[in-house]
Amino acid sequence: FAFRDYATRLDLTSTAHGIAEAENYFSGLSQYAKNQCTYGALLNSYSKEKMTDKALALFKKMDEMNIASTSVAFNNLMSLYMRLGQPEKVPPFIEEMRHRNIPLDTFSYNILMHSYSCLNDIEAVERVFEEITEENEKECDWTTFSNLAAVYVKYGLNEKAESAL
């Protein structure tokens, strides 16, 4: 198996049989197979299930192993907090990513924009969008424009929404 195969199986196990089975599968993996991919899949499972304590403990372990240095690990935690209705916890993760020189990806930017929207800070949403278009244009895709349009619709700014699309 390739690392991604183990991670995919872990994710599917979590979805089909629950987190306990996924943890059992992960525990049974060889040390060789316990890597950034499989740890990341387990972190994703914890995040989906809103298991904050387990997600944070696993992230800490990943960080100690120097395998939490990707946007994916941070995106999982940011998604967890959005699922929990705590959008105010997202911007500090972005700042930590920047502090560690971890590049933000499309998902990172979109979740940041969504968090600011939930916090009713349209100016911050627009600042993030400007950052994407000025500094990281490759991270700006149709999802970003669609999300921006949805924010504008939320605020009744229909002309801006149409322009974003």
Side-chain angles (χ1 to χ4, degrees):
F1 278 137
F3 294 138
R4 293 196 188 279
D5 294 334
Y6 291 115
T8 300
R9 183 167 180 186
L10 195 149
D11 184 56
L12 291 171
T13 300
S14 174
T15 301
H17 302 289
I19 200 72
E21 284 298 315
E23 289 173 326
N24 286 339
Y25 176 74
F26 182 81
S27 294
L29 292 174
S30 69
Q31 285 305 114
Y32 170 77
K34 290 181 180 177
N35 55 47
Q36 188 172 19
C37 293
T38 52
Y39 271 96
L42 187 58
L43 178 61
N44 184 53
S45 295
Y46 288 152
S47 297
K48 284 182 185 175
E49 296 299 321
K50 302 178 187 176
M51 301 174 83
T52 307
D53 291 340
K54 286 191 174 194
L56 292 174
L58 186 62
F59 181 84
K60 182 179 179 190
K61 183 173 184 172
M62 291 171 67
D63 202 23
E64 290 167 356
M65 296 169 62
N66 292 319
I67 59 172
S69 59
T70 67
S71 61
V72 175
F74 282 87
N75 289 345
N76 273 300
L77 292 180
M78 291 186 291
S79 294
L80 167 65
Y81 284 113
M82 290 301 291
R83 284 185 190 99
L84 293 171
Q86 299 175 352
E88 70 280 0
K89 293 196 175 181
V90 170
F93 280 107
I94 296 292
E95 291 308 311
E96 182 63 21
M97 289 174 70
R98 288 182 171 143
H99 175 74
R100 295 181 185 201
N101 294 316
I102 298 170
L104 278 63
D105 62 14
T106 302
F107 191 80
S108 306
Y109 282 116
N110 285 323
I111 200 163
L112 180 60
M113 286 173 57
H114 184 62
S115 73
Y116 283 136
S117 173
C118 291
L119 295 169
N120 296 315
D121 190 346
I122 194 165
E123 290 85 13
V125 171
E126 290 178 326
R127 280 194 310 273
V128 172
F129 182 75
E130 286 177 27
E131 178 183 337
I132 300 168
T133 56
E134 291 175 6
E135 297 175 23
N136 289 317
E137 193 171 334
K138 68 181 174 106
E139 297 301 340
C140 192
D141 64 6
W142 68 269
T143 306
T144 307
F145 288 100
S146 176
N147 289 341
L148 180 62
V151 170
Y152 285 143
V153 168
K154 174 182 173 182
Y155 287 94
L157 302 169
N158 297 329
E159 286 183 25
K160 281 188 167 189
E162 190 175 320
S163 176
L165 294 175

Tab-separated table of all heavy atoms in Angstrom, residues 7-69:
chain	number	residue	atom	x	y	z
A	7	ALA	N	-4.272	6.039	4.395
A	7	ALA	CA	-5.061	7.195	4.830
A	7	ALA	C	-6.491	7.106	4.295
A	7	ALA	O	-7.450	7.384	5.026
A	7	ALA	CB	-4.394	8.488	4.371
A	8	THR	N	-6.625	6.717	3.041
A	8	THR	CA	-7.960	6.574	2.452
A	8	THR	C	-8.755	5.501	3.182
A	8	THR	O	-9.935	5.685	3.487
A	8	THR	CB	-7.852	6.244	0.954
A	8	THR	OG1	-7.155	7.311	0.310
A	8	THR	CG2	-9.226	6.061	0.323
A	9	ARG	N	-8.104	4.377	3.463
A	9	ARG	CA	-8.799	3.304	4.175
A	9	ARG	C	-9.212	3.762	5.573
A	9	ARG	O	-10.299	3.442	6.048
A	9	ARG	CB	-7.927	2.057	4.255
A	9	ARG	CG	-8.647	0.911	4.916
A	9	ARG	CD	-7.965	-0.389	4.731
A	9	ARG	NE	-8.730	-1.436	5.394
A	9	ARG	CZ	-8.334	-2.667	5.503
A	9	ARG	NH1	-7.200	-3.043	4.950
A	9	ARG	NH2	-9.060	-3.539	6.146
A	10	LEU	N	-8.343	4.511	6.231
A	10	LEU	CA	-8.674	5.031	7.554
A	10	LEU	C	-9.893	5.946	7.476
A	10	LEU	O	-10.823	5.832	8.285
A	10	LEU	CB	-7.471	5.774	8.138
A	10	LEU	CG	-7.536	6.054	9.634
A	10	LEU	CD1	-6.126	6.068	10.213
A	10	LEU	CD2	-8.217	7.344	9.943
A	11	ASP	N	-9.901	6.822	6.498
A	11	ASP	CA	-11.027	7.739	6.316
A	11	ASP	C	-12.322	6.968	6.024
A	11	ASP	O	-13.373	7.258	6.605
A	11	ASP	CB	-10.718	8.724	5.188
A	11	ASP	CG	-11.807	9.763	5.022
A	11	ASP	OD1	-12.121	10.461	6.013
A	11	ASP	OD2	-12.362	9.869	3.913
A	12	LEU	N	-12.246	5.994	5.148
A	12	LEU	CA	-13.424	5.195	4.818
A	12	LEU	C	-13.898	4.379	6.024
A	12	LEU	O	-15.105	4.237	6.243
A	12	LEU	CB	-13.128	4.273	3.635
A	12	LEU	CG	-12.935	4.963	2.291
A	12	LEU	CD1	-12.438	3.968	1.243
A	12	LEU	CD2	-14.225	5.636	1.837
A	13	THR	N	-12.970	3.859	6.789
A	13	THR	CA	-13.325	3.112	7.987
A	13	THR	C	-14.071	4.009	8.968
A	13	THR	O	-15.093	3.618	9.533
A	13	THR	CB	-12.065	2.510	8.649
A	13	THR	OG1	-11.437	1.632	7.721
A	13	THR	CG2	-12.402	1.766	9.930
A	14	SER	N	-13.572	5.211	9.148
A	14	SER	CA	-14.230	6.162	10.042
A	14	SER	C	-15.645	6.465	9.564
A	14	SER	O	-16.588	6.474	10.363
A	14	SER	CB	-13.407	7.452	10.117
A	14	SER	OG	-14.094	8.431	10.855
A	15	THR	N	-15.793	6.689	8.271
A	15	THR	CA	-17.099	7.020	7.710
A	15	THR	C	-18.071	5.849	7.820
A	15	THR	O	-19.229	6.022	8.208
A	15	THR	CB	-16.947	7.449	6.236
A	15	THR	OG1	-16.081	8.588	6.187
A	15	THR	CG2	-18.289	7.798	5.622
A	16	ALA	N	-17.602	4.654	7.480
A	16	ALA	CA	-18.498	3.499	7.419
A	16	ALA	C	-18.721	2.821	8.774
A	16	ALA	O	-19.817	2.318	9.032
A	16	ALA	CB	-17.944	2.478	6.423
A	17	HIS	N	-17.689	2.804	9.618
A	17	HIS	CA	-17.775	2.014	10.848
A	17	HIS	C	-17.583	2.822	12.129
A	17	HIS	O	-17.638	2.248	13.220
A	17	HIS	CB	-16.751	0.881	10.807
A	17	HIS	CG	-16.927	-0.027	9.631
A	17	HIS	ND1	-17.983	-0.910	9.514
A	17	HIS	CD2	-16.192	-0.167	8.499
A	17	HIS	CE1	-17.882	-1.564	8.372
A	17	HIS	NE2	-16.799	-1.128	7.730
A	18	GLY	N	-17.286	4.096	12.001
A	18	GLY	CA	-17.149	4.939	13.184
A	18	GLY	C	-15.710	5.183	13.588
A	18	GLY	O	-14.777	4.517	13.129
A	19	ILE	N	-15.575	6.135	14.474
A	19	ILE	CA	-14.251	6.589	14.886
A	19	ILE	C	-13.488	5.514	15.662
A	19	ILE	O	-12.275	5.384	15.527
A	19	ILE	CB	-14.346	7.914	15.690
A	19	ILE	CG1	-13.002	8.651	15.692
A	19	ILE	CG2	-14.855	7.704	17.083
A	19	ILE	CD1	-12.641	9.274	14.399
A	20	ALA	N	-14.185	4.709	16.449
A	20	ALA	CA	-13.508	3.662	17.227
A	20	ALA	C	-12.826	2.662	16.300
A	20	ALA	O	-11.674	2.258	16.550
A	20	ALA	CB	-14.495	2.958	18.151
A	21	GLU	N	-13.496	2.275	15.243
A	21	GLU	CA	-12.888	1.351	14.276
A	21	GLU	C	-11.714	2.005	13.558
A	21	GLU	O	-10.708	1.349	13.271
A	21	GLU	CB	-13.918	0.856	13.265
A	21	GLU	CG	-14.857	-0.196	13.812
A	21	GLU	CD	-14.130	-1.463	14.247
A	21	GLU	OE1	-13.246	-1.956	13.519
A	21	GLU	OE2	-14.448	-1.951	15.351
A	22	ALA	N	-11.848	3.291	13.261
A	22	ALA	CA	-10.746	4.009	12.615
A	22	ALA	C	-9.530	4.057	13.545
A	22	ALA	O	-8.393	3.868	13.106
A	22	ALA	CB	-11.181	5.421	12.227
A	23	GLU	N	-9.775	4.301	14.819
A	23	GLU	CA	-8.676	4.312	15.787
A	23	GLU	C	-8.029	2.928	15.884
A	23	GLU	O	-6.799	2.829	15.973
A	23	GLU	CB	-9.186	4.757	17.158
A	23	GLU	CG	-9.542	6.232	17.217
A	23	GLU	CD	-10.206	6.632	18.521
A	23	GLU	OE1	-10.968	5.825	19.100
A	23	GLU	OE2	-9.965	7.782	18.956
A	24	ASN	N	-8.851	1.884	15.864
A	24	ASN	CA	-8.306	0.520	15.888
A	24	ASN	C	-7.450	0.254	14.658
A	24	ASN	O	-6.375	-0.342	14.763
A	24	ASN	CB	-9.436	-0.522	15.981
A	24	ASN	CG	-10.061	-0.570	17.352
A	24	ASN	OD1	-9.471	-0.149	18.336
A	24	ASN	ND2	-11.281	-1.075	17.412
A	25	TYR	N	-7.942	0.673	13.510
A	25	TYR	CA	-7.176	0.493	12.279
A	25	TYR	C	-5.838	1.232	12.377
A	25	TYR	O	-4.783	0.680	12.075
A	25	TYR	CB	-7.982	0.974	11.069
A	25	TYR	CG	-7.209	0.899	9.776
A	25	TYR	CD1	-6.975	-0.321	9.151
A	25	TYR	CD2	-6.689	2.052	9.194
A	25	TYR	CE1	-6.241	-0.403	7.975
A	25	TYR	CE2	-5.954	1.988	8.017
A	25	TYR	CZ	-5.740	0.761	7.416
A	25	TYR	OH	-5.007	0.693	6.254
A	26	PHE	N	-5.902	2.487	12.821
A	26	PHE	CA	-4.688	3.290	12.951
A	26	PHE	C	-3.711	2.628	13.920
A	26	PHE	O	-2.511	2.530	13.638
A	26	PHE	CB	-5.036	4.706	13.422
A	26	PHE	CG	-3.845	5.611	13.540
A	26	PHE	CD1	-3.314	6.234	12.423
A	26	PHE	CD2	-3.242	5.846	14.769
A	26	PHE	CE1	-2.207	7.068	12.518
A	26	PHE	CE2	-2.142	6.672	14.881
A	26	PHE	CZ	-1.621	7.288	13.758
A	27	SER	N	-4.212	2.159	15.057
A	27	SER	CA	-3.352	1.514	16.056
A	27	SER	C	-2.661	0.281	15.490
A	27	SER	O	-1.534	-0.033	15.874
A	27	SER	CB	-4.168	1.112	17.291
A	27	SER	OG	-4.649	2.252	17.942
A	28	GLY	N	-3.344	-0.419	14.600
A	28	GLY	CA	-2.783	-1.631	14.020
A	28	GLY	C	-1.792	-1.406	12.894
A	28	GLY	O	-1.150	-2.354	12.428
A	29	LEU	N	-1.639	-0.168	12.464
A	29	LEU	CA	-0.684	0.127	11.398
A	29	LEU	C	0.747	0.011	11.905
A	29	LEU	O	1.033	0.286	13.075
A	29	LEU	CB	-0.907	1.544	10.850
A	29	LEU	CG	-2.192	1.804	10.071
A	29	LEU	CD1	-2.316	3.294	9.741
A	29	LEU	CD2	-2.244	0.969	8.802
A	30	SER	N	1.636	-0.370	11.017
A	30	SER	CA	3.052	-0.394	11.372
A	30	SER	C	3.554	1.031	11.566
A	30	SER	O	2.926	1.983	11.094
A	30	SER	CB	3.853	-1.068	10.248
A	30	SER	OG	3.848	-0.231	9.095
A	31	GLN	N	4.665	1.183	12.249
A	31	GLN	CA	5.247	2.514	12.431
A	31	GLN	C	5.524	3.166	11.079
A	31	GLN	O	5.389	4.371	10.927
A	31	GLN	CB	6.519	2.447	13.276
A	31	GLN	CG	6.256	2.243	14.751
A	31	GLN	CD	5.323	3.297	15.325
A	31	GLN	OE1	4.205	2.975	15.726
A	31	GLN	NE2	5.747	4.536	15.369
A	32	TYR	N	5.897	2.344	10.113
A	32	TYR	CA	6.175	2.818	8.763
A	32	TYR	C	4.942	3.490	8.154
A	32	TYR	O	5.048	4.499	7.454
A	32	TYR	CB	6.622	1.635	7.901
A	32	TYR	CG	6.709	1.909	6.431
A	32	TYR	CD1	7.786	2.615	5.902
A	32	TYR	CD2	5.713	1.469	5.552
A	32	TYR	CE1	7.871	2.872	4.544
A	32	TYR	CE2	5.788	1.723	4.201
A	32	TYR	CZ	6.866	2.423	3.700
A	32	TYR	OH	6.947	2.688	2.359
A	33	ALA	N	3.770	2.935	8.421
A	33	ALA	CA	2.531	3.450	7.833
A	33	ALA	C	1.936	4.612	8.626
A	33	ALA	O	1.029	5.289	8.147
A	33	ALA	CB	1.501	2.336	7.717
A	34	LYS	N	2.448	4.849	9.813
A	34	LYS	CA	1.982	5.982	10.621
A	34	LYS	C	2.825	7.194	10.247
A	34	LYS	O	3.957	7.339	10.698
A	34	LYS	CB	2.079	5.674	12.111
A	34	LYS	CG	1.080	4.634	12.564
A	34	LYS	CD	1.199	4.364	14.049
A	34	LYS	CE	0.189	3.328	14.482
A	34	LYS	NZ	0.328	3.003	15.903
A	35	ASN	N	2.266	8.011	9.403
A	35	ASN	CA	2.997	9.153	8.862
A	35	ASN	C	2.047	10.333	8.700
A	35	ASN	O	0.913	10.291	9.185
A	35	ASN	CB	3.634	8.764	7.528
A	35	ASN	CG	2.592	8.239	6.570
A	35	ASN	OD1	1.540	8.832	6.394
A	35	ASN	ND2	2.864	7.098	5.950
A	36	GLN	N	2.501	11.341	8.004
A	36	GLN	CA	1.709	12.552	7.828
A	36	GLN	C	0.341	12.256	7.212
A	36	GLN	O	-0.659	12.837	7.620
A	36	GLN	CB	2.482	13.542	6.961
A	36	GLN	CG	1.855	14.905	6.869
A	36	GLN	CD	2.778	15.887	6.152
A	36	GLN	OE1	3.695	15.500	5.438
A	36	GLN	NE2	2.530	17.156	6.359
A	37	CYS	N	0.282	11.345	6.261
A	37	CYS	CA	-0.988	11.022	5.598
A	37	CYS	C	-1.975	10.353	6.548
A	37	CYS	O	-3.145	10.742	6.618
A	37	CYS	CB	-0.745	10.121	4.393
A	37	CYS	SG	0.146	10.890	3.047
A	38	THR	N	-1.521	9.340	7.266
A	38	THR	CA	-2.441	8.601	8.134
A	38	THR	C	-2.795	9.399	9.385
A	38	THR	O	-3.952	9.390	9.816
A	38	THR	CB	-1.877	7.223	8.502
A	38	THR	OG1	-0.557	7.362	9.017
A	38	THR	CG2	-1.878	6.299	7.292
A	39	TYR	N	-1.828	10.108	9.945
A	39	TYR	CA	-2.155	10.986	11.068
A	39	TYR	C	-3.150	12.056	10.613
A	39	TYR	O	-4.092	12.391	11.333
A	39	TYR	CB	-0.897	11.656	11.635
A	39	TYR	CG	-0.200	10.865	12.711
A	39	TYR	CD1	0.869	10.035	12.404
A	39	TYR	CD2	-0.598	10.957	14.041
A	39	TYR	CE1	1.525	9.313	13.388
A	39	TYR	CE2	0.050	10.238	15.028
A	39	TYR	CZ	1.104	9.416	14.699
A	39	TYR	OH	1.746	8.706	15.672
A	40	GLY	N	-2.931	12.585	9.431
A	40	GLY	CA	-3.838	13.600	8.897
A	40	GLY	C	-5.249	13.066	8.689
A	40	GLY	O	-6.231	13.767	8.949
A	41	ALA	N	-5.352	11.825	8.233
A	41	ALA	CA	-6.678	11.219	8.041
A	41	ALA	C	-7.389	11.042	9.379
A	41	ALA	O	-8.604	11.282	9.484
A	41	ALA	CB	-6.556	9.878	7.321
A	42	LEU	N	-6.647	10.652	10.400
A	42	LEU	CA	-7.249	10.512	11.720
A	42	LEU	C	-7.660	11.879	12.270
A	42	LEU	O	-8.756	12.025	12.837
A	42	LEU	CB	-6.279	9.806	12.675
A	42	LEU	CG	-6.831	9.441	14.042
A	42	LEU	CD1	-8.066	8.541	13.937
A	42	LEU	CD2	-5.745	8.758	14.888
A	43	LEU	N	-6.827	12.880	12.070
A	43	LEU	CA	-7.169	14.242	12.492
A	43	LEU	C	-8.436	14.713	11.782
A	43	LEU	O	-9.324	15.308	12.405
A	43	LEU	CB	-6.013	15.202	12.209
A	43	LEU	CG	-6.238	16.663	12.562
A	43	LEU	CD1	-6.494	16.832	14.058
A	43	LEU	CD2	-5.039	17.502	12.130
A	44	ASN	N	-8.537	14.424	10.499
A	44	ASN	CA	-9.725	14.788	9.741
A	44	ASN	C	-10.968	14.098	10.314
A	44	ASN	O	-12.024	14.717	10.446
A	44	ASN	CB	-9.543	14.424	8.265
A	44	ASN	CG	-10.700	14.860	7.423
A	44	ASN	OD1	-11.115	16.019	7.434
A	44	ASN	ND2	-11.265	13.926	6.669
A	45	SER	N	-10.831	12.843	10.684
A	45	SER	CA	-11.961	12.106	11.271
A	45	SER	C	-12.391	12.731	12.591
A	45	SER	O	-13.586	12.901	12.838
A	45	SER	CB	-11.582	10.638	11.481
A	45	SER	OG	-11.347	10.011	10.246
A	46	TYR	N	-11.433	13.060	13.435
A	46	TYR	CA	-11.769	13.712	14.703
A	46	TYR	C	-12.463	15.055	14.455
A	46	TYR	O	-13.421	15.404	15.149
A	46	TYR	CB	-10.513	13.939	15.544
A	46	TYR	CG	-9.909	12.703	16.153
A	46	TYR	CD1	-8.547	12.654	16.425
A	46	TYR	CD2	-10.676	11.585	16.481
A	46	TYR	CE1	-7.962	11.525	17.003
A	46	TYR	CE2	-10.101	10.450	17.059
A	46	TYR	CZ	-8.747	10.434	17.310
A	46	TYR	OH	-8.180	9.340	17.881
A	47	SER	N	-11.969	15.785	13.474
A	47	SER	CA	-12.561	17.085	13.174
A	47	SER	C	-13.990	16.941	12.671
A	47	SER	O	-14.879	17.687	13.089
A	47	SER	CB	-11.705	17.830	12.145
A	47	SER	OG	-10.428	18.093	12.674
A	48	LYS	N	-14.216	15.994	11.781
A	48	LYS	CA	-15.571	15.763	11.269
A	48	LYS	C	-16.542	15.401	12.382
A	48	LYS	O	-17.704	15.786	12.350
A	48	LYS	CB	-15.569	14.631	10.238
A	48	LYS	CG	-15.045	14.988	8.892
A	48	LYS	CD	-15.167	13.766	7.976
A	48	LYS	CE	-14.571	13.975	6.631
A	48	LYS	NZ	-14.620	12.730	5.827
A	49	GLU	N	-16.051	14.638	13.355
A	49	GLU	CA	-16.899	14.179	14.457
A	49	GLU	C	-16.955	15.170	15.625
A	49	GLU	O	-17.532	14.869	16.663
A	49	GLU	CB	-16.412	12.811	14.952
A	49	GLU	CG	-16.529	11.709	13.920
A	49	GLU	CD	-17.960	11.459	13.483
A	49	GLU	OE1	-18.877	11.505	14.333
A	49	GLU	OE2	-18.159	11.223	12.266
A	50	LYS	N	-16.338	16.328	15.442
A	50	LYS	CA	-16.319	17.390	16.455
A	50	LYS	C	-15.700	16.928	17.772
A	50	LYS	O	-16.148	17.297	18.848
A	50	LYS	CB	-17.732	17.935	16.699
A	50	LYS	CG	-18.409	18.498	15.472
A	50	LYS	CD	-19.809	18.958	15.800
A	50	LYS	CE	-20.569	19.358	14.561
A	50	LYS	NZ	-21.949	19.700	14.868
A	51	MET	N	-14.662	16.131	17.665
A	51	MET	CA	-13.967	15.607	18.842
A	51	MET	C	-12.768	16.510	19.148
A	51	MET	O	-11.622	16.183	18.841
A	51	MET	CB	-13.549	14.157	18.588
A	51	MET	CG	-14.732	13.248	18.285
A	51	MET	SD	-14.257	11.583	17.821
A	51	MET	CE	-14.041	10.868	19.457
A	52	THR	N	-13.060	17.642	19.747
A	52	THR	CA	-12.067	18.696	19.942
A	52	THR	C	-10.846	18.219	20.719
A	52	THR	O	-9.709	18.449	20.288
A	52	THR	CB	-12.704	19.895	20.671
A	52	THR	OG1	-13.883	20.281	19.962
A	52	THR	CG2	-11.757	21.069	20.735
A	53	ASP	N	-11.058	17.588	21.864
A	53	ASP	CA	-9.916	17.178	22.697
A	53	ASP	C	-8.999	16.218	21.958
A	53	ASP	O	-7.777	16.373	21.988
A	53	ASP	CB	-10.404	16.548	24.003
A	53	ASP	CG	-11.071	17.563	24.921
A	53	ASP	OD1	-10.844	18.781	24.745
A	53	ASP	OD2	-11.821	17.136	25.827
A	54	LYS	N	-9.589	15.232	21.284
A	54	LYS	CA	-8.772	14.274	20.546
A	54	LYS	C	-8.070	14.939	19.370
A	54	LYS	O	-6.909	14.641	19.084
A	54	LYS	CB	-9.622	13.091	20.074
A	54	LYS	CG	-9.977	12.144	21.197
A	54	LYS	CD	-10.583	10.868	20.669
A	54	LYS	CE	-10.776	9.884	21.810
A	54	LYS	NZ	-11.044	8.537	21.336
A	55	ALA	N	-8.776	15.837	18.680
A	55	ALA	CA	-8.173	16.533	17.537
A	55	ALA	C	-6.986	17.377	17.988
A	55	ALA	O	-5.919	17.341	17.365
A	55	ALA	CB	-9.207	17.398	16.824
A	56	LEU	N	-7.160	18.136	19.054
A	56	LEU	CA	-6.074	18.988	19.535
A	56	LEU	C	-4.893	18.165	20.052
A	56	LEU	O	-3.734	18.519	19.813
A	56	LEU	CB	-6.584	19.936	20.619
A	56	LEU	CG	-7.555	21.009	20.134
A	56	LEU	CD1	-8.118	21.792	21.316
A	56	LEU	CD2	-6.905	21.941	19.125
A	57	ALA	N	-5.179	17.061	20.747
A	57	ALA	CA	-4.092	16.201	21.240
A	57	ALA	C	-3.322	15.574	20.082
A	57	ALA	O	-2.083	15.508	20.112
A	57	ALA	CB	-4.667	15.115	22.154
A	58	LEU	N	-4.049	15.128	19.064
A	58	LEU	CA	-3.382	14.536	17.906
A	58	LEU	C	-2.577	15.587	17.150
A	58	LEU	O	-1.446	15.329	16.727
A	58	LEU	CB	-4.401	13.872	16.971
A	58	LEU	CG	-3.799	13.103	15.798
A	58	LEU	CD1	-2.929	11.941	16.291
A	58	LEU	CD2	-4.902	12.585	14.890
A	59	PHE	N	-3.131	16.780	16.999
A	59	PHE	CA	-2.396	17.860	16.334
A	59	PHE	C	-1.106	18.158	17.101
A	59	PHE	O	-0.045	18.330	16.495
A	59	PHE	CB	-3.256	19.123	16.221
A	59	PHE	CG	-2.555	20.249	15.535
A	59	PHE	CD1	-2.541	20.328	14.150
A	59	PHE	CD2	-1.887	21.220	16.260
A	59	PHE	CE1	-1.876	21.365	13.502
A	59	PHE	CE2	-1.223	22.253	15.624
A	59	PHE	CZ	-1.219	22.329	14.246
A	60	LYS	N	-1.197	18.193	18.422
A	60	LYS	CA	-0.003	18.454	19.238
A	60	LYS	C	1.050	17.372	18.995
A	60	LYS	O	2.232	17.673	18.829
A	60	LYS	CB	-0.377	18.520	20.719
A	60	LYS	CG	0.792	18.827	21.616
A	60	LYS	CD	0.385	18.899	23.071
A	60	LYS	CE	1.614	19.182	23.926
A	60	LYS	NZ	1.347	19.042	25.334
A	61	LYS	N	0.602	16.116	18.961
A	61	LYS	CA	1.539	15.019	18.702
A	61	LYS	C	2.155	15.153	17.312
A	61	LYS	O	3.365	14.974	17.134
A	61	LYS	CB	0.835	13.670	18.835
A	61	LYS	CG	1.761	12.499	18.650
A	61	LYS	CD	1.069	11.182	18.945
A	61	LYS	CE	2.076	10.050	18.833
A	61	LYS	NZ	1.527	8.784	19.271
A	62	MET	N	1.320	15.481	16.324
A	62	MET	CA	1.813	15.678	14.962
A	62	MET	C	2.835	16.817	14.936
A	62	MET	O	3.857	16.727	14.247
A	62	MET	CB	0.655	15.976	14.005
A	62	MET	CG	-0.271	14.811	13.770
A	62	MET	SD	-1.763	15.276	12.847
A	62	MET	CE	-1.060	15.702	11.233
A	63	ASP	N	2.554	17.880	15.677
A	63	ASP	CA	3.453	19.024	15.730
A	63	ASP	C	4.790	18.615	16.342
A	63	ASP	O	5.852	18.999	15.845
A	63	ASP	CB	2.798	20.142	16.537
A	63	ASP	CG	3.351	21.502	16.224
A	63	ASP	OD1	3.917	21.695	15.124
A	63	ASP	OD2	3.213	22.412	17.073
A	64	GLU	N	4.746	17.821	17.408
A	64	GLU	CA	5.973	17.346	18.038
A	64	GLU	C	6.784	16.455	17.100
A	64	GLU	O	8.011	16.411	17.175
A	64	GLU	CB	5.632	16.579	19.327
A	64	GLU	CG	5.116	17.474	20.426
A	64	GLU	CD	4.489	16.718	21.592
A	64	GLU	OE1	4.380	15.469	21.537
A	64	GLU	OE2	4.089	17.397	22.559
A	65	MET	N	6.086	15.750	16.206
A	65	MET	CA	6.744	14.880	15.233
A	65	MET	C	7.153	15.648	13.960
A	65	MET	O	7.671	15.065	13.027
A	65	MET	CB	5.807	13.733	14.842
A	65	MET	CG	5.461	12.806	15.985
A	65	MET	SD	4.119	11.651	15.561
A	65	MET	CE	4.849	10.740	14.203
A	66	ASN	N	6.882	16.945	13.936
A	66	ASN	CA	7.151	17.808	12.782
A	66	ASN	C	6.402	17.368	11.518
A	66	ASN	O	6.933	17.460	10.414
A	66	ASN	CB	8.658	17.897	12.506
A	66	ASN	CG	9.380	18.643	13.598
A	66	ASN	OD1	8.896	19.647	14.100
A	66	ASN	ND2	10.526	18.125	13.987
A	67	ILE	N	5.166	16.900	11.700
A	67	ILE	CA	4.354	16.530	10.540
A	67	ILE	C	3.045	17.325	10.506
A	67	ILE	O	2.115	16.964	9.795
A	67	ILE	CB	4.069	15.012	10.479
A	67	ILE	CG1	3.335	14.525	11.722
A	67	ILE	CG2	5.360	14.235	10.252
A	67	ILE	CD1	2.862	13.076	11.619
A	68	ALA	N	3.004	18.430	11.252
A	68	ALA	CA	1.830	19.302	11.226
A	68	ALA	C	2.155	20.586	10.475
A	68	ALA	O	1.506	21.603	10.664
A	68	ALA	CB	1.365	19.618	12.642
A	69	SER	N	3.140	20.523	9.624
A	69	SER	CA	3.637	21.728	8.963
A	69	SER	C	3.019	21.941	7.582
A	69	SER	O	3.665	22.463	6.684
A	69	SER	CB	5.156	21.659	8.849
A	69	SER	OG	5.507	20.503	8.108
